[in-house]
Amino acid sequence: MPLIPSAPRTLKHVRRVNYQGFEREDGLWDIEGELHDSKAYDAPSFRDATGTRRAGEPIHHMWLRVTVNRQLVVQAIDVAMDAHPLKDCTAAQAALQRMVGCSMARGWRQSIQKHLGGVESCTHLRELLFNLATAAFQSVPAVFSSANPDEPPRHLGQCTGWDFNGNGVKEYFPQFYGRAPKAPAPPPATASEKSAPSGSSA
């Protein structure tokens, strides 16, 4: 269904992002991402003060291939930067190797920030990595299954459609319908918190 008509406007920027997941013959999985940024108008080139970047020509054109096992632990990373605005941008590629051994299933964004945050790498490569995990979850079927039949699949309770009290779970996973995990109990109050007046404020 298309969006409702907009106010009159002029196209300025186009970003295309594409993800693909491949099952390899060696039992591993390749998850690939591509990011392409361009302007809809001619503009001066950052890298050539006398040149012009034509409409549609890429400002950023970057590729990632992350190889993972069935548990979504990173085994290898390959990166290419076909287009980038500054000559030093390619120096950001080396840091990607720090992500080998990290898990997409747990703490993925925290690992990216730890190993690639700030000037350690590239904003656009980080953005590709962030959502590469989502593509991996969609690609590797084993991620959603559980060895324990009494444990719900990981995607339940993560969106409106898979609400434990909703029709999706009721129809496709009736054994877990209405069985949302209980929220963890808050930590016990410290001695200082117990002794503080109820109306006090910091």
Side-chain angles (χ1 to χ4, degrees):
M1 182 193 318
L3 299 171
I4 62 173
S6 72
R9 59 188 186 174
T10 301
L11 179 64
K12 295 293 186 179
H13 182 81
V14 177
R15 166 167 287 192
R16 300 198 309 269
V17 181
N18 183 55
Y19 291 102
Q20 297 184 92
F22 300 88
E23 183 176 10
R24 297 170 27 147
E25 293 183 355
D26 61 3
L28 299 177
W29 294 76
D30 284 338
I31 313 299
E32 296 187 355
E34 176 190 4
L35 181 147
H36 186 287
D37 274 329
S38 64
K39 299 297 182 185
Y41 54 87
D42 294 351
S45 170
F46 278 11
R47 298 180 63 185
D48 180 2
T50 63
T52 299
R53 185 187 61 246
R54 300 297 179 188
E57 290 182 355
I59 305 168
H60 308 108
H61 194 188
M62 304 176 180
W63 307 74
L64 282 176
R65 176 188 297 127
V66 177
T67 302
V68 297
N69 60 15
R70 287 167 54 89
Q71 292 73 42
L72 299 190
V73 176
V74 177
Q75 308 297 301
I77 291 184
D78 189 27
V79 56
M81 301 174 78
D82 291 349
H84 45 87
L86 304 172
K87 64 180 181 180
D88 292 338
C89 287
T90 54
Q93 296 177 98
L96 270 292
Q97 299 308 315
R98 301 173 190 167
M99 297 299 295
V100 174
C102 294
S103 171
M104 287 186 174
R106 290 284 186 271
W108 181 238
R109 292 194 173 224
Q110 291 86 345
S111 295
I112 292 172
Q113 186 59 32
K114 175 183 177 181
H115 296 298
L116 308 176
V119 298
E120 293 299 311
S121 190
C122 166
T123 300
H124 309 290
L125 292 177
R126 285 196 296 269
E127 291 177 2
L128 266 181
L129 271 179
F130 282 152
N131 292 312
L132 208 72
T134 303
F137 271 83
Q138 295 292 330
S139 301
V140 184
V143 174
F144 290 105
S145 60
S146 173
N148 183 353
D150 294 323
E151 182 178 310
R154 295 181 56 181
H155 62 289
L156 301 191
Q158 300 301 311
C159 68
T160 300
W162 290 117
D163 184 346
F164 278 94
N165 298 313
N167 290 325
V169 173
K170 185 177 183 179
E171 181 175 357
Y172 295 103
F173 297 95
Q175 68 274 33
F176 299 114
Y177 178 67
R179 292 178 53 190
K182 293 182 179 179
T190 64
S192 60
E193 289 173 335
K194 290 179 180 178
S195 61
S198 60
S200 64
S201 59

